[in-house]
Amino acid sequence: MFKPSAEFKAQANLGSEATYKRLYAESVNSPAKFWGRQAKELLTWRKPFKQVLQWKAPHAKWFTGGALNVSENCLDRHLGTARENKAAIIFEGEPGDIRTITYKQLHREVCKFANALESLGMKKGDRAAIYMPMVPEAAIAMLACARLGVIHTVIFGGFSSEAIKDRVNDCDAKLVITADGGWRRGKVVELKSAVDRALTGTPKVEHVVVLKRTGNEVAMTQPRDRWWHELMAEAKAEHKPKAFDSEHPLFILYTSGSTGKPKGVLHTSGGYLLGTTITTKYVFDLKESDIYWCTADIGWITGHSYVVYGPLANGATVLMYEGAPNQPGPDRFWEIIDRHGVTIFYTAPTAIRAFMRWGDDYVKKHSLASLRLLGSVGEPINPEAWMWYHKMIGKKRCPIVDTWWQTETGAIMVTPLPGVTAAKPGSCTRPFFGVVPKILDDNGKEVPKGSGGRLFLTQPWPSMLRTLWGDDARFKTQYWSEIKGIYFAGDGARFDKDGYLWVVGRIDDVLNVSGHRIGTAEVESALVSHPAVAEAAVVGRPDDLKGQALVCFVTLKSGQTASDQLKDTLRAHVAKEIGAIARPDSVRFAAGLPKTRSGKIMRRILKEIAAGGEVKGDVTTLEDFSVVASLQAED
Ligand code: 7RM
């Protein structure tokens, strides 16, 4: 247990267990009272809402009758206050170019771009796809859409043209906003050319707006394609935002499901903005003077909620970095933290493990004295990585918030509150306000503390997804029919004796070996606690005797050599850490693991390799296909 320090506690936005308990009890016992008050305090409404929640499971309407403008909440309301000349975005490009954009300037850019979009015929309810590098214009595009009531769908800049085409067609986007390219590891990632290939099969797209970022040559098709800077040169700097219904759609974000076709998760305005605003304030203990850095790309939900909407609604200073963490060297992040005085740093376990692998020397070259709070998101963080993060980055001084949530939940659901919750490495600890997690067995019965089961959320929350775009039937079966009327998260988890939540991973990652439930993440955690191991991914392989056998894919730290002896050592190590039931059946060394571009290990691919070699199905989200080829060759 890592208890909050007295110093942190004394200055925390929510500094006492008693306050957490009182507010949590109110939030679940009287949700309308709690959320109604928060919505009035934290958001600016043009028209007050009449009712906090209309709930006809699985469809929720939050703050009905209310009207607001999300972009106004992120920008206009900070003008005329001490925040107006505060930095909203500090941007660092991969080549080293730095730009600071104040709230007043950001407001001006968003107003101009909203006018530009209007000049292209975009209006409330239309869809716009955004396919951009991590540059301020990506946030400007999102906020300009929000300002007009145009529904954006951000497509991660690493997706292929096939993926762009599918998403653009699924939501009938009329407009695509892109750039010539973005910088990644010193090279130009060509975005416009990918859009051009996609648009050969997208009949509904009328215009493409192209930001000049890298200066590489692009083909401009007249009159479809327009330069960002030319539109902006003609655009007025004034734009009066209209108010939209609280349930007006804000964005669609595609996320992979168990089948090949990605799901278009739909988020709306009032509830989503409230969920992201309140969590940013309390989970990150946000202060006026913070320099806040969430390393997620805006192509993922974390980028939407914790780079753009949550922080800007709070008037925060957001650091945005365009490129790779190891460009030009493995210490680029630590250099950025020192150069800009970053105080809050939010990243993913996979990144933390990469830093561990690159070695402590790169960290030790930098001070990191400005940091005061660390966060983790995206997958369970193994205790080994947690401890390294705590000691090496946080210098044992910074609380770590391990935040569990999903694209579908919109905002953080389960997390420690800094200054209040004692942390246990690997546990995301306790529910945020209004969140009621339950662990149920296959019959829908609550399992005893300490036992594993499936994770459900039993009460509606403001930032919940409203449906899947164009597929309400899939929305119902996917999330609300495992146990009728309550939300199935798709994760396996357990509560420990202190009531702390441990998310083991996707339910399909929980194996059953000889009748024992074994979380692949647990075995992975055991493997990476061995000094030779850098990263590990564990999957099940069908086994006649045991049901499933444990297959481990392992990458080694530099200086370590693969050998049969080391395989045996690692199998014994896991048996020692977890028990003989978890002794791996097979350990395979690999140069790298197949990952999505957001860093999640694609276990589905490893399962296919473990089961016999052929990789079938959708691999468009894979970061580097050569990894798969080398894993197959290895067998
Ligand atoms: C925010 C995000 C969601 C899935 C989720 C989990 C896993 C995310 C944690 C975590 C354990 C965490 N959205 N997950 N955060 N597991 N501890 N702190 O990642 O839609 O892309 O993924 O990610 O399995 O269901 S997501």
Side-chain angles (χ1 to χ4, degrees):
M1 280 254 198
F2 290 79
K3 295 216 179 80
S5 69
E7 297 92 292
F8 198 97
K9 211 180 180 69
Q11 60 79 63
N13 288 347
L14 202 142
S16 87
E17 176 71 10
T19 314
Y20 166 70
K21 283 227 166 92
R22 178 172 51 78
L23 289 175
Y24 180 76
E26 188 200 7
S27 72
V28 298
N29 297 326
S30 318
K33 186 160 164 251
F34 177 84
W35 288 118
R37 187 176 70 244
Q38 299 299 341
K40 280 182 203 147
E41 270 174 25
L42 294 174
L43 303 183
T44 299
W45 296 87
R46 287 277 199 86
K47 204 170 109 204
F49 48 89
K50 290 203 180 78
Q51 204 184 344
V52 171
L53 171 64
Q54 272 179 29
W55 177 230
K56 263 176 69 190
H59 295 115
K61 287 186 177 155
W62 284 87
F63 311 115
T64 52
L68 78 173
N69 184 293
V70 170
S71 138
E72 177 182 355
N73 272 272
C74 292
L75 301 168
D76 305 56
R77 67 169 169 161
H78 306 312
L79 306 186
T81 77
R83 280 183 191 146
E84 74 175 4
N85 293 319
K86 172 181 176 175
I89 298 177
I90 300 174
F91 169 70
E92 183 164 320
E94 196 186 75
D97 49 321
I98 291 171
R99 264 195 287 166
T100 298
I101 302 170
T102 66
Y103 271 95
K104 209 182 209 169
Q105 292 167 330
L106 186 63
H107 173 261
R108 191 183 147 86
E109 295 299 298
V110 169
C111 285
K112 284 171 73 176
F113 198 60
N115 285 323
L117 291 179
E118 269 184 336
S119 77
L120 296 176
M122 296 301 286
K123 54 185 193 311
K124 175 186 169 185
D126 289 345
R127 273 80 63 200
I130 298 176
Y131 184 69
M132 294 188 88
M134 269 300 275
V135 294
E137 285 78 4
I140 292 167
M142 291 164 77
L143 291 163
C145 287
R147 199 170 185 87
L148 297 175
V150 167
I151 306 165
H152 62 66
T153 186
V154 183
I155 302 170
F156 175 60
F159 277 130
S160 63
S161 41
E162 269 310 298
I164 303 171
K165 186 169 77 191
D166 291 347
R167 286 159 174 76
V168 163
N169 284 337
D170 188 79
C171 70
D172 288 327
K174 268 172 73 178
L175 178 91
V176 180
I177 306 164
T178 188
D180 48 359
W183 292 104
R184 186 87 191 169
R185 293 202 182 94
K187 295 203 180 78
V188 172
V189 178
E190 291 193 13
L191 298 172
K192 174 62 164 63
S193 60
V195 169
D196 288 339
R197 287 193 299 278
L199 264 52
T200 56
T202 57
K204 298 274 170 60
V205 174
E206 293 169 10
H207 287 290
V208 180
V209 180
V210 187
L211 174 78
K212 200 182 268 256
R213 164 66 186 149
T214 45
N216 54 302
E217 215 167 298
V218 296
M220 295 294 277
T221 304
Q222 298 300 342
R224 187 193 69 184
D225 299 352
R226 308 288 302 267
W227 284 109
W228 175 292
H229 59 268
E230 288 178 2
L231 287 168
M232 290 294 261
E234 294 160 12
K236 275 197 318 195
E238 295 79 37
H239 183 276
K240 214 171 131 359
K242 291 199 180 90
F244 301 111
D245 190 274
S246 176
E247 281 298 335
H248 182 65
L250 181 62
F251 65 84
I252 301 163
L253 185 59
Y254 287 90
T255 187
S256 346
S258 39
T259 69
K261 188 179 180 285
K263 306 178 279 191
V265 169
L266 181 73
H267 283 289
T268 60
S269 303
Y272 171 80
L273 191 63
L274 180 60
T276 53
T277 304
I278 190 172
T279 48
T280 304
K281 178 172 173 182
Y282 291 118
V283 177
F284 300 113
D285 189 49
L286 192 71
K287 299 291 194 294
E288 208 57 70
S289 55
D290 276 314
I291 310 267
Y292 164 96
W293 184 17
C294 164
T295 65
D297 191 283
I298 46 125
W300 311 114
I301 189 67
T302 310
H304 286 59
S305 301
Y306 298 109
V307 177
V308 180
Y309 292 112
L312 295 179
N314 278 287
T317 295
V318 176
L319 190 127
M320 198 182 213
Y321 169 60
E322 176 186 32
N326 54 354
Q327 182 68 27
D331 57 344
R332 180 64 179 269
F333 276 20
W334 322 130
E335 225 175 73
I336 290 176
I337 289 172
D338 277 4
R339 179 159 42 244
H340 300 284
V342 171
T343 57
I344 301 172
F345 179 65
Y346 187 33
T347 197
T350 183
I352 297 167
R353 290 194 299 268
F355 301 135
M356 290 170 74
R357 186 175 185 181
W358 294 335
D360 297 355
D361 290 347
Y362 290 108
V363 184
K364 288 181 183 155
K365 278 181 18 200
H366 305 275
S367 134
L368 306 185
S370 57
L371 289 173
R372 67 178 197 90
L373 185 143
L374 305 174
S376 171
V377 60
E379 55 177 318
I381 179 165
N382 49 298
E384 167 102 351
W386 196 101
M387 287 307 299
W388 186 88
Y389 201 27
H390 171 69
K391 286 188 195 146
M392 199 52 73
I393 308 303
K395 316 290 181 200
K396 300 188 185 168
R397 178 187 73 235
C398 304
I400 297 178
V401 290
D402 175 358
T403 60
W404 177 86
W405 59 294
Q406 308 176 297
T407 304
E408 292 87 343
T409 69
I412 293 166
M413 295 282 106
V414 183
T415 175
L417 286 173
V420 176
T421 318
K424 294 187 193 184
S427 168
C428 53
T429 77
R430 302 188 296 183
F432 189 74
F433 303 136
V435 177
V436 185
K438 287 229 159 70
I439 316 280
L440 306 178
D441 68 14
D442 292 344
N443 302 315
K445 264 189 55 195
E446 228 171 310
V447 303
K449 275 190 182 155
S451 303
R454 295 177 302 163
L455 177 59
F456 290 81
L457 303 176
T458 63
Q459 281 198 20
W461 62 98
S463 63
M464 66 199 290
L465 81 165
R466 299 303 194 260
T467 187
L468 295 177
W469 183 260
D471 199 349
D472 199 53
R474 189 174 177 194
F475 167 68
K476 287 178 184 153
T477 52
Q478 184 83 46
Y479 304 106
W480 302 93
S481 63
E482 286 287 313
I483 293 173
K484 205 171 158 35
I486 63 172
Y487 176 81
F488 175 47
D491 278 335
R494 67 169 184 276
F495 283 113
D496 69 13
K497 58 180 186 334
D498 299 321
Y500 274 38
L501 188 70
W502 297 74
V503 174
V504 187
R506 303 301 301 185
I507 209 74
D508 37 5
D509 296 333
V510 178
L511 307 181
N512 193 322
V513 180
S514 304
H516 301 284
R517 248 172 199 278
I518 298 170
T520 52
E522 282 176 69
V523 181
E524 288 162 8
S525 173
L527 283 166
V528 295
S529 74
H530 189 279
V533 175
E535 196 160 30
V538 174
V539 296
R541 177 181 69 205
D543 184 281
D544 286 347
L545 210 59
K546 304 175 169 183
Q548 279 182 307
L550 272 171
V551 179
C552 309
F553 293 86
V554 168
T555 64
L556 294 175
K557 286 194 182 141
S558 50
Q560 300 288 337
T561 26
S563 68
D564 284 346
Q565 197 195 340
L566 184 55
K567 284 186 184 177
D568 289 340
T569 306
L570 292 179
R571 293 176 67 233
H573 179 71
V574 175
K576 189 180 117 259
E577 292 288 307
I578 302 174
I581 52 155
R583 183 190 297 274
D585 296 278
S586 151
V587 172
R588 295 170 62 161
F589 295 118
L593 298 174
K595 288 184 185 170
T596 66
R597 293 177 181 94
S598 70
K600 289 194 207 309
I601 294 168
M602 293 186 75
R603 289 192 176 68
R604 177 174 60 73
I605 288 179
L606 291 174
K607 268 184 222 163
E608 286 167 353
I609 294 170
E614 228 209 82
V615 174
K616 301 180 283 289
D618 180 22
V619 289
T620 55
T621 57
L622 194 66
E623 149 107 349
D624 178 3
F625 193 81
S626 66
V627 164
V628 172
S630 78
L631 281 171
Q632 286 172 311
E634 210 112 344
D635 200 13

